[in-house]
Amino acid sequence: MRDLLMIPGPVEFEPEVLQALGAPTLSHTDPAFIALFGRALKRLREVCLAPSAQPFVVSGSGTLAMELAVANLVEPGDAALVVNTGYFSDRMAKILERHGAKVTHVRAPPGDVPSLDEVETHLSQGGFKLLSITHVDTSTGVLAPAEPLVRAARKHGVLSVVDGVCATAAETFRQDAWEADVYLTASQKAVGVPPGLALLTVGPRAMEAWRKRRAPVASVYADFAEWLPIMEAYEAGKPAYFATPPVNLVAALDVSLGQILAEGMEARFARHQRMARAFRAGWKALGLRLLPTSEAVAANTLSAVYYPEGVDAALVGGVKGQGVVVAGGLHPDLKTRYFRVGHMNRVGPADVLSTVGALERALAAAGHRAEPGAGVAAAQASLLAG
């Protein structure tokens, strides 16, 4: 029997997506592939609610998506402000520094987000070219308040780059309405495609900033100048070549984006919120505590949960023994103190109840005392409440 995969990516994928991945590979200049790639680009705009943005679909991981944004917008000596909520905010800072940026962090203790006032104070001092926000930090399960942060950047004339790797297509985000400049993500989480695609929607101000660069982009592979003609050609229904695209992954992306749009973005955002509420109800009934300091900053795409007293990281293996795969901690200061459960993409009530039940049984085997069935009952009650 196959285990249920409930880590924060890769996640469970729809059968139709996997079917596209396993189909015979087309030439990257085949008219059928050109058509589906062009359609996937249009659909990516729709999923990100970014009709004015230029989409990019490039072979690589979410880290490449981060690097694509930074490499094209930052020149040596530029100042960047990082709203730091965990491990992946640190990674963004590392990439910014590697490309010559002078980085300032606005930090909060693990599990919290910096205050908007503190971010505004830094922005009002002037001199920043870019503000980076990790919409959901996969290491902490913290959801940043993307809209007010993006709007603050816009007010101060600073470009906003939002890392949506663990958020896109699950957490509410309206790129054009909020005037966010770059939204970047990867395929293997809520976008619902196996790992291997770096995805970005780049708004007009960011594209203009790239065009006004004084120095060439340091990386050939990351240069918009190489990729923009390819994206424009495919969307126009014409063949083009820079580097061979991952044909089957793009086909799978087209299928998944079509499914996401068929569900509807508002319905999809609401479903992820409902499933997250049910998980949180289950954790609370089991006497467990979230790493995020409040529900207001708790992501809807994953739960980061402290081990209860007397239970350690062996719990992850115990849960796998119950047929569900969850993940250990990732934040370097806390990694042995908590575990993570992904709940995104195709997650539904059966997944919630199966996962909470597996945790409940594994906790009991580890000696944690809770009322038998309490976690599943609480999650079920939350699901029934809607």
Side-chain angles (χ1 to χ4, degrees):
M1 187 175 76
R2 192 175 72 85
D3 293 332
L4 176 65
L5 186 62
M6 295 296 289
I7 66 173
V11 299
E12 294 280 349
F13 304 115
E14 295 287 359
E16 297 84 358
V17 171
L18 297 175
Q19 186 176 11
L21 194 67
T25 301
L26 297 171
S27 164
H28 59 288
T29 59
D30 188 298
F33 177 70
I34 293 168
L36 71 84
F37 200 159
R39 186 170 59 234
L41 291 165
K42 292 180 175 71
R43 286 173 167 173
L44 183 59
R45 273 199 201 92
E46 294 180 58
V47 165
C48 295
L49 300 173
S52 72
Q54 172 60 52
F56 291 87
V57 175
V58 178
S59 178
S61 70
T63 300
L64 176 66
M66 297 163 77
E67 187 130 30
L68 280 159
V70 171
N72 287 278
L73 297 181
V74 166
E75 298 187 64
D78 286 341
L81 185 63
V82 174
V83 180
N84 196 310
T85 51
Y87 181 92
F88 289 98
S89 300
D90 287 336
R91 178 170 293 185
M92 178 62 87
K94 181 178 182 179
I95 295 169
L96 284 159
E97 289 170 343
R98 184 66 58 89
H99 286 272
K102 298 176 181 176
V103 174
T104 300
H105 293 263
V106 187
R107 295 184 184 271
D112 207 350
V113 297
S115 72
L116 182 61
D117 286 346
E118 191 176 359
V119 175
E120 284 263 22
T121 297
H122 280 83
L123 289 173
S124 65
Q125 293 170 0
F128 291 105
K129 183 176 186 179
L130 182 149
L131 174 75
S132 82
I133 304 156
T134 309
H135 196 180
V136 170
D137 198 295
T138 317
S139 72
T140 57
V142 166
L143 172 68
E147 181 180 4
L149 290 169
V150 162
R151 291 193 184 280
R154 179 75 182 118
K155 181 175 77 173
H156 291 280
V158 175
L159 294 171
S160 58
V161 173
V162 182
D163 171 359
V165 169
C166 199
T168 306
E171 299 285 3
T172 303
F173 192 82
R174 309 178 195 283
Q175 184 168 350
D176 270 30
W178 297 354
E179 299 187 283
D181 294 303
V182 178
Y183 198 38
L184 65 91
T185 192
S187 56
Q188 74 273 12
K189 298 183 190 279
V191 174
V193 178
L197 292 175
L199 312 170
L200 304 90
T201 41
V202 183
R205 285 183 299 275
M207 292 300 294
E208 184 63 21
W210 164 68
R211 290 187 177 97
K212 289 181 175 178
R213 287 182 63 92
R214 299 179 301 277
V217 173
S219 165
V220 172
Y221 190 72
D223 193 349
F224 285 170
E226 304 292 349
W227 290 112
L228 181 60
I230 310 304
M231 303 301 131
E232 290 176 334
Y234 276 119
E235 197 166 358
K238 300 174 183 177
Y241 174 75
F242 164 56
T244 305
V247 172
N248 288 58
L249 275 171
V250 174
L253 176 69
D254 179 49
V255 171
S256 187
L257 293 177
Q259 292 175 333
I260 290 167
L261 293 170
E263 181 178 9
M265 296 313 301
E266 300 310 315
R268 191 172 177 89
F269 297 150
R271 173 170 61 82
H272 281 82
Q273 291 164 9
R274 286 196 306 274
M275 298 306 116
R277 283 197 300 270
F279 271 112
R280 289 194 284 268
W283 309 144
K284 184 177 180 180
L286 291 171
L288 303 178
R289 183 167 64 93
L290 291 178
L291 195 159
T293 55
S294 70
E295 193 153 327
V297 298
N300 297 300
T301 51
L302 81 153
S303 296
V305 188
Y306 284 111
Y307 298 116
E309 188 176 352
V311 177
D312 61 19
L315 178 69
V316 172
V319 177
K320 190 175 191 303
Q322 298 294 330
V324 176
V325 181
V326 298
L330 183 60
H331 193 285
D333 295 341
L334 301 167
K335 64 188 304 181
T336 62
R337 294 178 54 196
Y338 73 105
F339 64 95
R340 295 173 298 146
V341 178
H343 33 85
M344 62 192 113
N345 190 38
R346 63 176 295 183
V347 66
D351 304 307
V352 175
L353 299 177
S354 295
T355 304
V356 173
L359 254 300
E360 193 163 350
R361 294 189 299 275
L363 283 166
H368 178 64
R369 299 184 65 171
E371 182 184 346
V376 172
Q380 180 76 291
S382 176
L383 291 167
L384 290 170

